[in-house]
Amino acid sequence: MKILALSGSLRAVSINSAVLRAVRHLAPSSIEVYLFSGLGDLLLYNPDLEHAPPAVALQLRNEVASADALLIASPEYAHGVTGTIKNTLDWLVAFDGFVDKPVAVLNATSRAHHADAALRETLVTMSATLIEAASITLPLRSANIGEAELLAMPEIVSLLTGVLTKIQRAVKLLPEMKPFLGSSVYIDSQHLAIVAQAAKLADGCADDEAIAKRCFEFVRDQIKHSWDYRLNPVTCKASEVLIHGTGYCYAKSHLLAALLRANGIPAALCYQRLTLDGDQPPYCLHGLNAVYLPQHGWYRIDARGNKPGVDADFCPPLEKLAFSIVNPLEQDLPGIHAEPIPAVVKALTENQTVEQVYHNLPDVAATAQ
């Protein structure tokens, strides 16, 4: 696998360039990290040159096309990205080979959060596939650190090694898992509040399973089920659920999917058809999630929120869902979904109060198994 590394600084002693060189040093034999050195030779982008781009721009585009992923480290100048990295990306805006390219962003210092956010916004706007799990801020207190010093710091070595592992895993998973990693209208995993909460939940976790468990428990325990607590407003988008702290089971599943995807973990939506009262009609849909864990495959989890008689948990490979199927017309509906089904969106967007949702709960006909 080839990773193209781009530094947004032209300084000879740039900490960002040193970080990328450290990544190259730490890469196993299965990963080539190529640090592009020609960014300072790029002319300022001029659309009039698109018919005959200069040689350095062509070289850059060729390297981007041949790379499996990009890794960008860039400083912050006056609360913005550097002219170097912005000009580099400008030369790639009209380049088809950049679309859907997996990209990870390294931030050398927490002080550079303005540029980090702006860079991510630009990359997403350019249709890159941002590898959130591999896009981290390093806990470096000084910019006057070289490659050798970085490699002598166990914490930094561990973080950078993890970045390589997460990029490699994301590249392998993307073709099959891309629909379950993306951000959308209702699973808005790129919303700033979602990204911040996802990072907070992932902090200190050793692997994806630990992150998934923490995300699950947060949504199960900290986000109130709208009907259990009779809480308005009616939420549907993941970011709305997080901001208001409440949602029906479907909406809570949207938030859990978004938090997992923001951490680079494939997440899907799935549904059950359950009775509302014992073993007789009426019936309604119940929303839950499936998360992809490399050691277990797709694993269903239900974060609707526990209450007397409900005890859902995260204990792979065993499923411990909120509700069991108890009569012939109830059903675990087949398949997993990257997006909420129309009946759920309709219920959550066309009803104004939690009481109205309850009286218009979504349902679909049982399917043949």
Side-chain angles (χ1 to χ4, degrees):
M1 188 182 82
K2 176 182 175 181
I3 298 175
L4 178 63
L6 303 174
S7 173
S9 175
L10 301 180
R11 294 175 64 238
V13 293
S14 162
I15 180 62
N16 291 277
S17 298
V19 166
L20 294 176
R21 289 194 299 270
V23 171
R24 181 175 60 188
H25 180 88
L26 293 168
S29 58
S30 60
I31 302 177
E32 174 196 357
V33 178
Y34 175 67
L35 183 55
F36 191 83
S37 60
L39 299 187
D41 298 323
L42 278 172
L43 297 176
L44 290 177
Y45 178 68
N46 182 347
D48 291 340
L49 299 178
E50 277 294 335
H51 69 286
V56 177
L58 287 175
Q59 182 188 2
L60 172 66
R61 291 178 175 184
N62 288 337
E63 293 293 348
V64 168
S66 66
D68 296 291
L70 272 58
L71 180 61
I72 300 175
S74 183
E76 178 175 301
Y77 290 173
H79 282 193
V81 298
T82 65
T84 300
I85 204 66
K86 183 61 171 68
N87 189 48
T88 300
L89 294 175
D90 286 347
W91 277 107
L92 298 173
V93 166
F95 178 51
D96 289 341
F98 186 79
V99 176
D100 293 331
K101 184 67 65 175
V103 183
V105 177
L106 289 180
N107 186 15
T109 170
S110 60
R111 296 190 301 273
H113 60 93
H114 297 286
D116 184 60
L119 179 55
R120 289 165 179 256
E121 172 68 20
T122 299
L123 290 167
V124 171
T125 301
M126 290 173 62
S127 298
T129 299
L130 192 60
I131 308 175
E132 284 288 355
S135 299
I136 63 172
T137 295
L138 298 173
L140 297 174
R141 293 185 174 87
S142 171
N144 300 313
I145 301 174
E147 177 185 352
E149 293 169 284
L150 290 169
L151 293 172
M153 299 177 179
E155 181 183 6
I156 299 301
V157 168
S158 176
L159 287 170
L160 296 181
T161 301
V163 166
L164 286 166
T165 300
K166 290 169 182 176
I167 292 175
Q168 187 175 44
R169 185 189 61 221
V171 169
K172 288 180 179 179
L173 279 175
L174 272 175
E176 178 183 352
M177 296 296 175
K178 185 177 179 181
F180 305 104
L181 287 165
S183 183
S184 63
V185 172
Y186 298 108
I187 316 296
D188 50 347
S189 57
Q190 296 295 333
H191 190 282
L192 290 179
I194 297 288
V195 171
Q197 184 62 48
K200 180 179 178 181
L201 292 169
D203 186 42
C205 290
D207 55 27
D208 281 358
E209 187 169 322
I211 295 172
K213 178 178 174 66
R214 192 176 286 178
C215 291
F216 164 80
E217 291 178 345
F218 169 78
V219 177
R220 183 192 65 184
D221 301 337
Q222 302 303 317
I223 304 299
K224 294 179 171 61
H225 188 283
S226 296
W227 185 245
D228 288 354
Y229 289 85
R230 303 300 196 272
L231 281 178
N232 285 304
V234 176
T235 55
C236 186
K237 290 183 180 181
S239 57
E240 295 173 342
V241 182
L242 179 62
I243 290 167
H244 294 290
T246 186
Y248 268 90
C249 58
Y250 327 102
K252 292 186 69 170
S253 74
H254 301 169
L255 174 58
L256 181 52
L259 291 170
L260 292 168
R261 292 181 188 184
N263 276 310
I265 301 173
L269 308 173
C270 43
Y271 300 94
Q272 294 176 317
R273 188 178 193 245
L274 303 174
T275 180
L276 282 171
D277 183 21
D279 59 357
Q280 59 187 2
Y283 294 86
C284 71
L285 292 180
H286 172 60
L288 55 155
N289 293 91
V291 57
Y292 185 83
L293 302 173
Q295 61 272 51
H296 303 296
W298 284 107
Y299 171 66
R300 290 193 305 170
I301 48 179
D302 191 341
R304 63 90 57 209
N306 288 337
K307 63 178 184 176
V310 175
D311 185 23
D313 205 354
F314 184 100
C315 46
L318 299 176
E319 283 187 353
K320 194 172 183 184
L321 305 180
F323 304 109
S324 300
I325 302 302
V326 296
N327 76 61
L329 288 182
E330 291 189 325
Q331 187 177 20
D332 286 318
L333 296 180
I336 58 174
H337 304 263
E339 295 297 323
I341 62 174
V344 165
V345 174
K346 177 181 174 67
L348 296 181
T349 58
E350 295 187 3
N351 293 290
Q352 302 303 309
T353 67
V354 294
E355 290 79 12
Q356 289 173 355
V357 174
Y358 182 79
H359 292 297
N360 295 279
L361 290 170
D363 188 19
V364 296
T367 61
Q369 299 213 38

